[in-house]
Amino acid sequence: MAPSQTSLTHWGAFTATVRAGDIASVRPWAGDADPSPALANLPGSVRHRSRITTPAVRRGWLDDGPGPTTRRGADEFVAVTWDELVSLLGDELRRVAHDHGNEAIYGGSYGWSSAGRLHHAQSQVHRFLNCIGGYTYSRHSYSLGATGVIMPRVVGTHDDLFKRSTQWDVIVENTDLLVCFGGLALKNTAVNDGGTTAHPARHALNRFRDRGGRIVSFSPLRDDVEGPCDWYAPVPGTDVAIMLALAHVLATEDLADRRFLATYCTGYDRFERYLLGLDDGTPKSPQWAASLCGLTAEELTALARRMAAGRTLVTVSWSLQRTRHGEQAPWMAMTLAAMLGQIGLPGGGFGHGYGSMNEAGLAPIRCALPRLPQGINPVSTFIPVAAVSDMLLHPGEPFDYNGLRLTYPDIRLVYWAGGNPFHHHQNLPRLRRALCRPDTVVVHDPYWTAMAKHADIVVPSTTFAERDDLSGSRNDPLLMAMPRLTEPYAQARDDYDTFTALARHLGVEDVFTEGRTSWQWLRHIYEKWMATLDFEVPTFDEFWAAGQVRLPTDDGLTLLADFRADPAAHRLATPSGKIEIFSAEIDGFGYDDCRGHPRWFEPTEWLGGRRAADYPLHLVANQPANRLHSQLDGGAASQSSKVAGREPIRMNPHDAHERGVTAGDVVRVYNDRGACLAGVVLDDGVRRRVVQLSTGAWFDPADPADLDSMCVHGNPNVLTDDVGTSSLAHGCTGAHVLVQVEKYTAEPPAVRAHQPPVLAPR
Ligand SMILES: Nc1nc2c(c(=O)[nH]1)N[C@H]1C(S)=C(S)[C@@H](COP(=O)(O)OP(=O)(O)OC[C@H]3O[C@@H](n4cnc5c(=O)[nH]c(N)nc54)[C@H](O)[C@@H]3O)O[C@H]1N2
Ligand SMILES: Nc1nc2c(c(=O)[nH]1)N[C@H]1C(S)=C(S)[C@@H](COP(=O)(O)OP(=O)(O)OC[C@H]3O[C@@H](n4cnc5c(=O)[nH]c(N)nc54)[C@H](O)[C@@H]3O)O[C@H]1N2
Ligand SMILES: [Mo]
């Protein structure tokens, strides 16, 4: 095994030195001008104390058999052999499928797992479950739950908004004004699904400024834009009101491009009646918006005029749609951009996800990616992904989704590989109750996350560093070899090998493996992919020896340029073939929380509402700068940001002072759903009455047997509301929540999040 090897994570490529079965150090990939600080989480990650060393079964499940229980998360575990694990789990899958049907297996298994096309955990688990008769699946993502449903109805696509976004070079050369709702957080551009080998955003913004470009940022956090910008910090959650006010100025000052609206859009007239208040008596004027958002009418009016005076790109971060009524922000921003009439012109129009993910602004590769075929799922039952607790708590009950009336299935077995619901889901006390309901919970993970601790059957997975794989990302020109860096730790196995053993136990080994080892699969998916290409790439052996292959990209793209150039030849995949400012279909669904055109809905969690009397601080639960989600929270980069051992909460000094709190204090953050401890950082770049606590600290209940226990480590999802964006999309709404903060005066309990649970020998 070579002591120094190149590989890749979702947050960047690197060369690692390997010592004593672990990553000893990493050096960023030479081609990466702006590597992620999260690379520093990798050294020591293979043999970290939070690794799962052995197959394990929860004591209560082993003694009493499957069934609903409140003991999940509180019981001890019993170490079992791999043979025992395979027969216990295989028999349980057979029992559930036989007695209740495959619909009773929830295999959505949402989560990012690791980069690597073959060992991608979700692909593996889906392929396996398809081989045994299928599973209830999930749709869309926590990232883009609202966008994924609304934008196909508005512009006929959501993927292409990111994959074929207006590229940085085009912005640098053409844009005068970037108006960014949710800022342009460079910390988030560290990451790309599937891996990323370059981080051009910071450099692009510098070049943009050098050319005279200006940035306007609407955000509760000043550092959502690094460097000079016009920073507006409105009341969080009022962006749609602000966009309406800007639109109102365009409409009433003859600044709207009516020719663009007539040619490329449908339904502007209906929307304009609402905008002008013709039916409800409330014009959505700057004065109206000012009373909601806390900015002045003059500021909004001046900005609207400025936007109409040059080449303007309106961008919306993904966070704006991860909140109740999250459909409205991207829809309204698209409408505002349409009124400016610059959609499809270089550097103008609409953008979604600059500063959310690295891919926005990057050139797409000119081919699909190699992939592990997942087979066909014979079960058609699904849920919108963020409805997982609703599903488990309400079997047999109907719910609305995107014009459909669906029914929650009766789930008996929950199967998770490659995700961490205790990271991603809202209202963790409610999730814990939901996880009491099924007969059996199965988790594959390399680490003892809170989800693994809540499982009945725990399967130790390898990390990407312990197996051979290849990368691939739709907006990254390099496909990289990801050679095994070291031996599998303790008894960890590749998910592929676990599923192969289970498939053998269940009599479908040939169907699952098609007779291939994982190394043979790697070659196979590369060669199958190669055969589909209309350009030359090296053979698999050449690729593996070289360590990478560079793929051709589509350069110089402007979003929707084709449509603008020829709207008949490039009809959008919407009912009208145009941008739907008014959607007759959505209107026809009759939902009271998402109507026929974008509009202002009063948020549920915001400083302007009644709830703020009890919980007067607006908590922004954004993405962590020093890690990806909950991954490698025990690593050096993540640990270096902790305060008093807890996740840092940033507060405005005034708000801290009012509470007798100072930097370095441990505070209790709470509302009526739950509470957590966090360590205080003071920052006047945080808007007053806003606090920021990123996601990703591993959930750590003070008393694991108490379903309502406080988290002593600082996971904001003990506080967030588990409610969908609307009846249309039912997307995740974890971005915002109202809280109160108080100094924690007792001795703070020790953080045990990264300790394994009690593990008894068989
Ligand atoms: N409050 C709030 N909540 C949020 C958000 C928010 O903004 N606010 N953001 C949401 C968003 S956008 C997202 S995408 C989600 C992210 O939620 P997740 O994707 O669930 O979070 P991760 O921490 O990436 O979880 C991945 C898990 O996979 C494991 N893993 C890694 N490699 C392997 C492997 O090879 N095999 C197996 N079996 N496991 C592996 C890791 O150890 C880790 O436990 O969180 C969501 N939650
Ligand atoms: N370093 C790092 N990067 C990541 C990730 C990570 O875990 N770590 N996760 C990746 C994933 S899976 C995803 S989906 C993306 C998510 O990308 P986003 O959802 O865009 O990311 P966030 O950090 O939640 O939000 C960006 C900023 O929006 C601001 N904001 C929040 N709510 C509002 C609002 O109502 N109005 C306004 N104007 N601003 C608001 C916040 O100040 C926040 O810092 O990030 C990706 N990038
Ligand atoms: Mo995400």
Side-chain angles (χ1 to χ4, degrees):
M1 203 154 298
S4 156
Q5 291 268 33
T6 296
S7 190
L8 159 142
T9 60
H10 294 298
W11 54 96
F14 59 89
T15 302
T17 54
V18 176
R19 211 175 306 122
D22 208 332
I23 298 173
S25 65
V26 293
R27 202 159 21 88
W29 173 246
D32 190 344
D34 187 21
S36 166
L39 287 175
N41 287 325
L42 289 166
S45 60
V46 175
R47 304 177 78 89
H48 193 265
R49 68 177 187 285
S50 58
R51 278 302 293 271
I52 303 173
T53 54
T54 169
V57 180
R58 189 175 61 78
R59 167 72 74 193
W61 195 92
L62 201 57
D63 292 349
D64 308 332
T69 172
T70 56
R71 294 290 300 157
R72 293 194 176 102
D75 239 351
E76 66 173 20
F77 285 87
V78 179
V80 298
T81 65
W82 269 110
D83 285 348
E84 285 171 307
L85 180 117
V86 167
S87 70
L88 286 169
L89 175 50
D91 290 349
E92 176 61 358
L93 283 163
R94 188 185 284 133
R95 179 191 75 85
V96 171
H98 179 269
D99 292 358
H100 304 285
N102 280 67
E103 188 195 68
I105 300 172
Y106 181 60
S109 192
Y110 181 78
W112 269 58
S113 63
S114 296
R117 300 293 300 167
L118 172 64
H119 292 287
H120 181 237
Q122 258 195 67
S123 305
Q124 291 283 347
V125 66
H126 293 162
R127 178 176 170 87
F128 166 71
L129 292 173
N130 285 339
C131 290
I132 64 164
Y135 59 97
T136 291
Y137 68 99
S138 62
R139 276 212 190 153
H140 292 295
S141 63
Y142 279 73
S143 314
L144 288 163
T147 286
V149 177
I150 188 71
M151 293 316 265
R153 294 188 168 280
V154 175
V155 281
T157 178
H158 73 289
D159 271 356
D160 277 359
L161 296 178
F162 323 118
K163 187 175 149 199
R164 304 187 69 78
S165 63
T166 302
Q167 284 168 24
W168 282 121
D169 283 346
V170 177
I171 294 171
V172 167
E173 280 156 31
N174 298 284
T175 307
D176 299 317
L177 188 63
L178 270 168
V179 178
C180 306
F181 290 91
L184 281 173
L186 287 175
K187 69 174 173 67
N188 289 348
T189 64
V191 168
N192 222 18
D193 187 8
T196 190
T197 60
H199 294 95
R202 183 186 307 274
H203 185 52
L205 286 179
N206 291 341
R207 282 157 56 220
F208 170 74
R209 288 196 181 94
D210 289 347
R211 222 205 87 247
R214 298 293 297 268
I215 301 174
V216 172
S217 174
F218 288 94
S219 168
L221 308 177
R222 183 165 57 209
D223 61 9
D224 275 338
V225 170
E226 287 179 36
C229 76
D230 300 338
W231 177 41
Y232 294 105
V235 173
T238 60
D239 302 86
V240 172
I242 293 169
M243 294 180 208
L244 283 164
L246 299 171
H248 189 272
V249 176
L250 300 182
T252 55
E253 297 193 2
D254 202 22
L255 296 171
D257 186 337
R258 290 181 188 272
R259 207 185 61 82
F260 184 90
L261 292 166
T263 312
Y264 297 97
C265 305
T266 180
Y268 175 73
D269 296 356
R270 286 287 292 267
F271 168 76
E272 200 186 62
R273 292 190 66 82
Y274 167 78
L275 185 66
L276 300 179
L278 297 187
D279 302 316
D280 64 2
T282 306
K284 311 305 172 298
S285 63
Q287 289 73 18
W288 166 82
S291 68
L292 298 168
C293 73
L295 305 177
T296 66
E298 291 70 31
E299 286 172 309
L300 298 173
T301 304
L303 177 61
R305 292 175 185 156
R306 199 173 152 201
M307 289 167 76
R311 186 59 56 87
T312 297
L313 184 62
V314 180
T315 73
V316 186
S317 70
W318 295 357
S319 56
L320 262 74
Q321 50 87 62
R322 205 173 302 110
T323 174
R324 182 94 178 118
H325 308 296
E327 295 81 3
Q328 305 306 314
W331 195 0
M332 184 56 218
M334 182 63 90
T335 302
L336 179 60
M339 292 174 73
L340 289 166
Q342 300 178 13
I343 291 172
L345 293 182
F350 170 82
H352 195 15
Y354 295 93
S356 295
M357 199 71 81
N358 199 25
E359 66 183 356
L362 270 59
I365 55 171
R366 251 190 250 150
C367 60
L369 291 165
R371 57 188 295 273
L372 175 73
Q374 295 183 11
I376 289 165
N377 186 355
V379 176
S380 58
T381 311
F382 73 92
I383 57 164
V385 66
V388 59
S389 291
D390 281 355
M391 169 184 72
L392 295 173
L393 291 167
H394 300 286
E397 287 184 25
F399 66 100
D400 286 311
Y401 168 74
N402 200 10
L404 304 170
R405 189 85 173 148
L406 302 170
T407 305
Y408 288 123
D410 186 1
I411 297 299
R412 300 307 175 108
L413 187 148
V414 169
Y415 208 122
W416 230 286
N420 181 4
F422 280 86
H423 171 77
H424 63 239
H425 200 57
Q426 284 53 67
N427 195 339
L428 295 182
R430 185 169 190 255
L431 175 70
R432 295 187 75 194
R433 287 184 171 76
L435 286 173
C436 293
R437 299 292 298 264
D439 293 348
T440 299
V441 176
V442 185
V443 172
H444 291 214
D445 206 288
Y447 297 97
W448 277 111
T449 63
M451 187 60 186
K453 289 176 182 172
H454 281 76
D456 300 310
I457 299 181
V458 177
V459 184
S461 302
T462 51
T463 66
F464 77 96
E466 296 150 80
R467 59 200 184 213
D468 292 316
D469 212 331
L470 54 82
S471 79
S473 181
R474 61 190 184 180
N475 292 69
D476 197 278
L478 291 185
L479 198 88
M480 294 194 59
M482 299 171 61
R484 176 197 261 212
L485 305 177
T486 183
E487 297 300 318
Y489 177 54
Q491 293 197 57
R493 278 190 188 172
D494 296 355
D495 295 320
Y496 179 77
D497 294 335
T498 303
F499 289 128
T500 299
L502 285 168
R504 185 179 312 132
H505 186 81
L506 294 168
V508 291
E509 182 179 1
D510 290 351
V511 188
F512 180 71
T513 66
E514 297 179 25
R516 294 185 190 93
T517 63
S518 53
W519 176 255
Q520 288 167 332
W521 267 108
L522 202 59
R523 178 184 294 276
H524 175 74
I525 64 173
Y526 183 93
E527 287 173 351
K528 248 194 125 176
W529 165 75
M530 215 176 142
T532 66
L533 302 177
D534 56 9
F535 51 86
E536 292 280 306
V537 292
T539 65
F540 177 74
D541 292 320
E542 289 163 352
F543 155 69
W544 197 257
Q548 70 197 68
V549 51
R550 182 169 290 274
L551 305 172
T553 50
D554 278 337
D555 297 323
L557 291 185
T558 290
L559 181 69
L560 296 171
D562 293 351
F563 169 64
R564 185 179 189 113
D566 189 344
H570 298 280
R571 272 178 66 91
L572 303 180
T574 56
S576 60
K578 301 182 179 189
I579 298 170
E580 302 228 334
I581 294 174
F582 178 84
S583 162
E585 283 189 2
I586 296 175
D587 193 52
F589 299 154
Y591 299 145
D592 58 7
D593 51 6
C594 187
R595 311 279 279 275
H597 59 70
R599 60 167 63 217
W600 164 251
F601 289 92
E602 183 177 331
T604 43
E605 304 273 333
W606 77 308
L607 295 173
R610 248 181 304 141
R611 203 172 149 72
D614 295 327
Y615 306 111
L617 296 174
H618 189 113
L619 187 149
V620 173
N622 63 352
Q623 313 295 312
N626 295 317
R627 59 180 177 258
L628 173 65
H629 311 140
S630 70
Q631 296 195 33
L632 310 185
D633 181 33
S638 180
Q639 288 299 311
S640 72
S641 71
K642 306 265 174 179
V643 174
R646 337 258 143 186
E647 191 63 17
I649 184 167
R650 280 203 292 169
M651 303 182 73
N652 185 287
H654 286 100
D655 296 317
H657 184 74
E658 279 172 13
R659 289 165 176 78
V661 164
T662 185
D665 281 353
V666 174
V667 288
R668 182 171 161 268
V669 188
Y670 67 94
N671 63 18
D672 49 354
R673 295 177 204 112
C676 67
L677 301 184
V680 172
V681 173
L682 300 183
D683 187 343
D684 67 3
V686 176
R687 185 197 193 275
R688 281 207 65 178
R689 294 192 65 192
V690 168
V691 293
Q692 178 244 323
L693 176 64
S694 289
T695 60
W698 286 17
F699 174 68
D700 191 2
D703 175 6
D706 172 8
L707 295 177
D708 290 310
S709 180
M710 157 174 96
C711 167
V712 305
H713 189 198
N715 185 319
N717 275 327
V718 295
L719 305 158
T720 47
D721 196 9
D722 185 7
V723 60
T725 51
S726 76
S727 313
L728 186 84
H730 208 301
C732 165
T733 60
H736 296 186
V737 61
L738 290 180
V739 299
Q740 181 54 293
V741 170
E742 66 183 16
K743 192 170 167 139
Y744 191 70
T745 48
E747 181 61 31
V751 173
R752 292 167 306 184
H754 303 116
Q755 304 287 356
V758 176
L759 191 63
R762 176 78 147 144

